[in-house]
């Protein structure tokens, strides 16, 4: 039985255009990916598009003796069928992407062996438990051809395997030795920060083609540890969140702050107003926004046109943040009577996926018993009378135990450990790093 690795690649990456030909370890990225995939002897074919600009990929690969096929830009499934020409239906096809240079032939072998031991014909590295950069899938050439014959939607044809996954079972594989920290050990090349990180992992490696993926992951880990502690996460939320009241106005400083936040495991920015929403969008590219989510405060309006005004505020929020927001925190101030109605008005946005979680801001005098059941996040605001916000957050956490609710509050990083996620305002990466060091041993209370 033959195994052929097919690597999809194109120059028109939206987040890092032209990355396929960026130099990494002395050669273009796509060449390094292809050579590493074949370092245990596998057949390798790169499948790029037939667009005029992707001739650059084809010409380079052909000049260094690597096989390449070309096909429609958006019909990647069709390209894979072309790349599988000559294989029997029982032969295996392994799908890799051209932006994952840490993956190698040994990783392919491990995945194939795991599928052979299982009752499944399709298997993939479980990207929900393994950092980005190790993605690989294996399936038979026959099921690939069946998918190409039956899949009709543009989504299925662009992403190659959705039809295959829907039509049968799958093996979700976690390689031995793969790191479990999905954020600190990211090994893909999706943006410039990723490129810098992966270049560092390969720097000084004597044999970048033959280096074992575990050794490269260890080098990534060394760089992670050298930068300082990385925050743990519970349910996707870190114990330290970045507040927005003191965000730098200089664009470079803002991007640096957000990049450092992501590198050290900060999960969310708490956005207090529209200016902060715009800053979040300006300081993060799409790849960063995937890892530094937004929890945005929205004031609940009152009066005759309250519903329309709330809709407008949420629409503006979504516009500022690129069409989706992780968490909307409704702030009713001292008048909490409209909270249930306002939350109910936003449920459709959550159902549609435009909003991930709905939450509320708890202010002095508000009891947990007043919270609607449909709340996924509670932010304890500073007391106007100077009361102890830490004690208030601890009380809220205690009262909500047993419910799947995130609790956050503002405070000082060097205070005593407390329940819930701490929100710290920082105007520089150094300030943020100091806060990370203070709270790195804490986790968000599992409610």
């Amino acid at each position: 039985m033959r195994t052929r690795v097919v690597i999809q690649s194109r120059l028109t990456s939206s987040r890092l255009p032209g990355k396929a030909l960026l130099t990494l370890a002395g050669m273009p990225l796509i060449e390094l990916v292809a050579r590493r995939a074949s370092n245990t002897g596998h057949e390798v074919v790169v499948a790029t598009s037939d667009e005029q600009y992707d001739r650059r990929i084809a010409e380079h690969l052909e000049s260094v003796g690597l096989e390449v096929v070309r096909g429609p830009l958006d019909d990647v499934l069709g390209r894979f069928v072309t790349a599988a020409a000559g294989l029997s239906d029982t032969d295996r096809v392994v799908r890799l992407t051209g932006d994952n240079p840490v993956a190698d032939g040994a990783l392919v072998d491990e995945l194939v062996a795991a599928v052979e031991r299982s009752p499944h014909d399709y298997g993939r590295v479980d990207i929900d438990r393994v950092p980005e950069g190790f993605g690989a899938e294996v399936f038979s050439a026959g099921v690939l051809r069946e998918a190409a014959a039956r899949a009709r939607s543009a989504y299925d044809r662009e992403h190659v395997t959705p039809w295959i996954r829907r039509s049968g079972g799958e093996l979700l594989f976690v390689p031995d030795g793969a790191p479990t920290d999905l954020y600190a050990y990211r090994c893909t090349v999706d943006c410039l920060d990723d490129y810098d990180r992966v270049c560092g992992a390969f720097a000084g490696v004597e044999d970048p083609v033959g280096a074992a993926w575990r050794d490269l992951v260890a080098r990534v880990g060394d760089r992670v540890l050298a930068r300082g502690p990385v925050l743990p996460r519970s349910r996707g939320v870190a114990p330290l969140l970045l507040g927005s009241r003191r965000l730098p106005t200089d664009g470079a400083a803002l991007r640096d702050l957000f990049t450092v936040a992501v590198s050290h495991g900060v999960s969310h920015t708490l956005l207090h107003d529209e200016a902060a929403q715009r800053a979040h969008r300006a300081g993060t590219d799409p790849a960063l926004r995937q890892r530094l989510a937004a929890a945005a405060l929205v004031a609940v309006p009152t009066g005759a046109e309250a519903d329309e005004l709330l809709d407008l505020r949420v629409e503006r929020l979504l516009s500022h943040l690129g069409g989706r927001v992780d968490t909307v925190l409704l702030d009713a101030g001292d008048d909490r009577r409209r909270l249930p109605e306002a939350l109910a008005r936003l449920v459709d946005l959550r159902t549609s996926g435009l909003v991930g979680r709905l939450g509320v801001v708890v202010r002095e005098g508000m009891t947990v018993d007043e919270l609607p059941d449909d709340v996924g996040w509670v932010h304890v605001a500073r007391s106007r009378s100077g009361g102890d916000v830490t004690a208030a957050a601890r009380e809220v956490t205690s009262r909500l135990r047993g419910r799947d609710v995130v609790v956050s509050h503002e405070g000082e990083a060097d205070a005593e450990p407390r329940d819930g996620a701490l929100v710290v305002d920082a105007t520089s990466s150094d300030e943020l790093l100091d806060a990370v060091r203070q709270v790195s041993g804490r986790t968000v209370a599992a409610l």
Side-chain angles (χ1 to χ4, degrees):
M1 184 181 297
R2 294 164 65 184
T3 296
R4 181 176 296 171
V5 179
V6 181
I7 305 168
Q8 64 188 72
S9 180
R10 59 187 175 92
L11 281 178
T12 53
S13 166
S14 59
R15 290 180 283 272
L16 188 57
K19 67 182 177 183
L21 295 179
L22 288 177
T23 299
L24 181 57
M27 65 190 80
L29 171 61
I30 184 57
E31 180 183 346
L32 178 64
V33 172
R35 293 196 182 282
R36 285 184 53 74
S38 65
N39 65 9
T40 58
H42 293 302
E43 303 175 38
V44 171
V45 178
V46 175
T48 191
S49 88
D50 54 14
E51 297 293 313
Q52 187 267 346
Y53 41 76
D54 278 333
R55 79 183 191 286
R56 297 279 308 281
I57 292 176
E59 288 172 355
H60 174 78
L61 293 175
E62 289 168 351
S63 74
V64 296
L66 293 170
E67 188 173 352
V68 60
V69 300
R70 302 180 71 183
L73 177 66
D74 296 324
D75 185 9
V76 188
L77 176 56
R79 278 192 254 158
F80 268 68
V81 171
T82 301
L87 295 179
S88 71
D89 281 348
T90 57
D91 288 335
R92 293 177 295 245
V93 177
V94 175
R95 179 190 180 209
L96 298 180
T97 57
D99 51 7
N100 293 342
V102 170
D104 64 359
L107 181 66
V108 170
D109 292 337
E110 293 170 46
L111 174 60
V112 169
V115 171
E116 289 181 342
R117 294 191 299 268
S118 79
H120 301 290
D121 295 323
Y122 168 87
R124 62 182 173 92
V125 174
D126 188 353
I127 57 174
D128 290 327
R129 294 187 289 164
V130 175
E132 287 188 74
F134 298 92
E137 300 170 274
V138 61
F139 38 86
S140 70
V143 76
L144 172 68
R145 291 167 182 142
E146 184 179 5
R150 297 193 178 189
R152 294 289 181 266
S153 74
Y155 179 86
D156 284 351
R157 303 202 69 86
E158 179 181 358
H159 297 280
V160 183
T161 59
W163 186 91
I164 296 174
R165 294 200 298 272
R166 291 196 306 271
S167 66
E170 64 178 353
L171 170 71
L172 296 177
F173 175 63
V174 176
D176 290 339
T180 56
D181 189 321
L182 305 186
Y183 305 93
Y185 287 83
R186 178 179 166 93
C187 294
T188 193
V189 178
D190 196 41
C191 61
L192 280 174
D193 182 53
D194 294 333
Y195 176 63
D196 177 65
R197 171 187 299 216
V198 175
C199 282
F202 277 92
V205 173
E206 185 174 338
D207 179 11
V209 171
W213 70 263
R214 289 181 178 83
D215 292 340
L216 290 170
V217 167
R219 290 172 66 88
V220 172
D222 290 342
R223 288 171 60 84
V224 169
L225 294 175
R227 289 198 308 263
V230 177
L231 297 167
R233 294 194 183 191
S234 174
R235 293 160 300 150
V237 180
L240 180 71
L241 312 181
L242 177 61
S244 65
R245 288 194 174 96
R246 297 176 56 223
L247 291 177
T249 56
D250 175 73
L254 183 65
R255 287 188 292 274
D256 178 63
L257 177 62
F258 286 154
T259 299
V260 168
V262 166
S263 297
H264 290 271
V266 176
S267 61
H268 289 73
T269 306
L270 191 72
L271 305 176
H272 291 88
D273 52 33
E274 284 200 41
Q277 296 165 17
R278 290 191 292 269
H280 183 84
R281 178 72 183 272
T284 56
D285 61 25
L288 276 181
R289 282 195 290 277
Q290 290 176 0
R291 292 174 283 158
L292 184 63
L297 275 65
V298 174
V300 177
T302 58
E305 298 181 354
D307 288 344
E308 291 76 9
L309 185 54
L310 176 62
D311 291 345
L312 177 61
R313 288 176 180 176
V314 174
E315 287 175 9
R316 289 174 65 86
L317 167 64
L318 293 171
S319 175
H320 292 323
L321 297 182
R324 186 186 186 281
V325 60
D326 181 87
T327 301
V328 171
L329 295 168
L330 292 176
D331 185 359
D334 296 325
D335 183 0
R336 302 182 292 275
R337 292 170 297 178
R338 288 207 68 245
L339 265 180
E341 181 182 343
L343 282 166
R345 195 165 183 84
L346 301 186
V347 166
D348 286 346
L349 292 177
R350 190 184 60 187
T351 302
S352 68
L354 295 177
V355 174
R357 272 179 290 219
L358 298 176
V360 298
V361 176
V362 171
R363 296 194 175 274
E364 191 172 20
M366 183 175 181
T367 67
V368 174
D369 296 335
E370 298 178 59
L371 296 177
D373 292 333
D374 196 24
V375 167
W377 188 308
V378 174
H379 178 65
V380 183
R382 291 182 185 272
S383 169
R384 294 188 179 95
S385 63
D388 187 353
V389 68
T390 299
R394 185 173 293 118
E395 172 66 17
V396 169
T397 300
S398 175
R399 295 290 300 276
L400 290 175
R401 201 167 300 280
R403 290 174 59 178
D404 185 19
V405 181
V406 174
V407 177
S408 63
H409 62 98
E410 295 167 75
E412 301 300 327
D414 58 356
E416 290 298 315
R418 82 282 329 265
D419 290 318
L422 174 66
V423 180
V424 172
D425 294 311
T427 192
S428 70
S429 56
D430 287 340
E431 279 189 74
L432 182 61
L433 284 174
D434 286 341
V436 169
R437 295 185 184 100
Q438 294 286 347
V439 303
S440 58
R442 292 178 49 222
T443 57
V444 178
L447 303 182

